[in-house]
């Protein structure tokens, strides 16, 4: 019996560090749930890290980050027998497709993309120093998505416009050369960004992020988690992410909506102490992290496992990408241009009665 094919989904991250609680509630939980009913590709977008970190010493950190990131995803329960994990830079067809798609996107369109400006700012890159690579970031991302002919792309809000550009690439391509690419849809995470802990200079009101130094990592030991969570405060300065204090956002994400509402009432009434609230959150977070931590240690001890997972997936991604690229080249006439040259060369060799 032929199994009805599942919708194709593609998502992933730049390898900029180990994954944290913000990733867990913002995207990893979702990936675990979606893997059953979708054919999933998870990209490790190392080419995209080059857009803001092209220096050799910066790229030197990437192999370690790649390993941590894949290990984290396996530890939370993403099953490599269901999901194709792959290394972007090891799929050459993606570079080719990106060049072809660049012909279809007006430069002015890319100059409007706000996320690129904030990435440039975060990398201390002035407008004048903005590279072609960073400007074309969404086009490369479109190549990732379209090469897999994915229709569902789970991303954060900051990537919404990139997916709109991928759609535009697909529809312009289809219009010019015939239907090849299904139009991808962004699937924006329902959970709001998790605030960071107050260990970094940004404090706990900012979004949890590795670069702000305010993250609780999936691999952090319990004592470290407790110390970090104890910095969460319940004051107005904490409410930069919305109208709720960081402490309550943690309670909602890890204890529950109703419990968070109770906690707020009790804190406001003074019937619960801040220390008790920290203990409640610490217990809930550690209950989530304990099995992840345990699996992470077992998987990390299986030498070469993470690497093999990535190699297997990349080989599969190459097949898929080569197939799509061949169809795109065909549709554009590039393939027949080359094969025409080859055919004429072969005919000449034959007439000459000497092989080419
Ligand atoms: N842009 C994503 C990020 O913010 C990473 C990424 C690259 C991606 N290619 C993708 C996400 C394709 C989804 C689909 O890190």
């Amino acid at each position: 019996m032929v199994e009805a094919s599942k919708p194709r989904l593609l998502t992933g991250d730049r390898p900029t560090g180990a994954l944290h609680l913000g990733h867990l509630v913002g995207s990893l939980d979702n990936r675990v749930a979606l893997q059953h009913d979708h054919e999933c590709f998870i990209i490790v977008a190392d080419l995209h890290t080059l857009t803001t970190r092209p220096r050799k010493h910066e790229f030197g950190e990437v192999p370690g980050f790649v390993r941590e990131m894949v290990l984290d995803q396996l530890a939370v329960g993403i099953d490599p027998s269901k999901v194709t994990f792959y290394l972007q830079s090891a799929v050459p067809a993606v570079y080719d497709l990106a060049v072809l798609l660049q012909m279809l996107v007006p430069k002015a369109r890319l100059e409007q993309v706000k996320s690129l400006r904030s990435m440039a700012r975060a990398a201390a890159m002035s407008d004048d120093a903005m590279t072609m690579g960073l400007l074309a970031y969404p086009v490369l991302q479109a190549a990732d998505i379209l090469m897999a002919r994915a229709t569902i792309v789970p991303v954060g809000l900051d990537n919404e416009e990139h997916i709109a550009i991928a759609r535009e690439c697909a529809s312009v391509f289809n219009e010019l050369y015939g239907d090849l690419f299904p139009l991808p849809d962004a699937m924006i995470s329902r959970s709001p960004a998790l605030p960071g802990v107050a260990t970094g200079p940004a404090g706990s009101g900012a979004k949890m992020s590795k670069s702000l130094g305010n993250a609780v990592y999936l691999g952090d030991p319990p004592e470290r988690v407790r110390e970090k969570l104890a910095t969460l405060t319940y004051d107005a300065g904490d409410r930069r992410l919305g109208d709720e204090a960081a402490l309550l956002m943690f309670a909602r994400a890890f204890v529950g909506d109703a419990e968070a509402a109770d906690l707020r009432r009790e804190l406001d009434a003074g019937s619960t102490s801040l220390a008790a609230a920290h203990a409640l959150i610490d217990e809930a977070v550690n209950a989530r992290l304990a099995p992840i931590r345990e699996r992470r240690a077992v998987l990390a001890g299986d030498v070469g496992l993470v690497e093999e997972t990535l190699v297997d997936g990349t080989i599969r991604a190459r097949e898929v990408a080569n197939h799509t690229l061949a169809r795109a080249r065909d549709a554009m006439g590039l393939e027949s241009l080359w094969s025409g040259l080859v055919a004429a060369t072969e005919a000449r060799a034959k007439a000459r009665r000497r092989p080419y």
Side-chain angles (χ1 to χ4, degrees):
M1 198 181 80
V2 181
E3 205 189 319
S5 63
K6 297 174 179 175
R8 244 191 212 172
L9 175 157
L10 190 137
T11 187
D13 314 87
R14 279 164 292 166
T16 54
L19 302 181
H20 53 61
L21 290 180
H23 294 117
L24 183 65
V25 301
S27 57
L28 301 179
D29 283 344
N30 203 25
R31 289 179 196 176
V32 173
L34 290 167
Q35 65 183 336
H36 307 290
D37 299 328
H38 297 81
E39 187 186 349
C40 297
F41 287 78
I42 297 190
I43 187 172
V44 177
D46 60 334
L47 290 176
H48 276 114
T49 60
L50 289 174
T51 62
T52 53
R53 299 171 55 83
R55 286 162 202 85
K56 187 134 190 189
H57 72 271
E58 292 169 329
F59 200 79
E61 294 185 308
V62 167
F65 292 158
V66 168
R67 196 188 137 73
E68 295 285 300
M69 247 180 63
V70 175
L71 185 57
D72 283 330
Q73 298 189 70
L74 297 176
V76 300
I78 299 175
D79 178 353
S81 72
K82 292 201 167 77
V83 170
T84 301
F85 283 101
Y86 74 99
L87 182 67
Q88 183 187 33
S89 69
V91 183
V94 168
Y95 304 59
D96 290 13
L97 188 58
V99 168
L100 300 180
L101 297 178
Q102 276 179 30
M103 315 305 168
L104 312 180
V105 189
K107 166 172 151 282
R109 171 75 176 100
L110 296 170
E111 281 166 349
Q112 287 161 9
V113 178
K114 289 197 196 68
S115 59
L116 301 181
R117 281 181 206 289
S118 32
M119 279 193 262
R121 223 178 304 117
M125 198 189 275
S126 67
D127 279 359
D128 287 345
M130 171 83 117
T131 60
M132 290 295 293
L134 185 55
L135 190 65
Y137 184 116
V139 184
L140 180 58
Q141 190 164 351
D144 298 330
I145 297 163
L146 300 185
M147 80 84 183
R149 306 179 75 249
T151 54
I152 302 172
V153 190
V155 284
L157 203 53
D158 55 346
N159 267 245
E160 194 173 28
E161 210 172 350
H162 304 182
I163 314 310
I165 288 169
R167 272 180 85 86
E168 288 158 27
C169 286
S171 81
V172 174
F173 187 101
N174 293 346
E175 214 171 281
L176 296 184
Y177 309 113
D179 272 346
L180 172 56
F181 297 117
L183 303 189
D185 280 310
M187 179 190 257
I188 306 291
S189 168
R190 269 180 300 112
S191 24
L194 196 67
V197 292
T199 50
S204 70
K207 179 176 158 180
M208 184 176 288
S209 137
K210 174 190 176 271
S211 57
L212 295 177
N214 63 2
V216 177
Y217 293 99
L218 302 184
D220 276 348
E223 321 78 67
R224 194 79 194 98
V225 174
R226 181 168 329 111
E227 278 166 25
K228 288 181 177 179
L229 295 177
T231 67
L232 291 174
T233 56
Y234 182 63
D235 63 29
D238 247 359
R239 299 175 198 193
R240 272 171 285 158
L241 275 187
D243 54 8
E244 212 172 25
L247 188 84
L248 287 181
M249 292 178 82
F250 267 79
R252 229 154 20 82
F254 295 100
V255 191
D257 285 336
E259 291 82 350
D262 289 346
L263 186 63
R264 160 183 244 151
R265 234 172 287 119
E266 290 163 20
L267 283 168
D268 288 345
S271 58
T272 284
S273 67
L274 203 53
H278 282 140
L280 179 77
I281 290 167
D282 179 59
E283 196 186 317
V285 169
N286 271 308
R288 283 264 6 232
L289 286 183
I292 295 174
R293 211 180 273 131
E294 203 172 297
R295 264 198 307 270
R296 201 179 190 283
V298 172
L299 293 165
D302 192 341
V303 179
L305 173 77
V306 169
E307 291 77 2
E308 184 179 325
T309 300
L310 210 42
V311 168
D312 282 349
T314 303
I315 289 170
R316 165 152 163 70
R318 279 185 181 174
E319 284 166 11
V320 171
N322 286 340
H323 182 71
T324 306
L325 178 66
R327 289 180 66 184
R329 286 175 49 88
D330 218 20
M332 295 176 76
L334 295 169
E335 206 45 63
S336 69
L337 167 57
W338 175 242
S339 57
L341 296 177
V342 171
T345 303
E346 279 171 348
R348 179 175 145 90
K350 205 166 165 201
R352 224 198 290 135
R353 292 168 199 281
R354 200 153 28 90
Y356 167 68

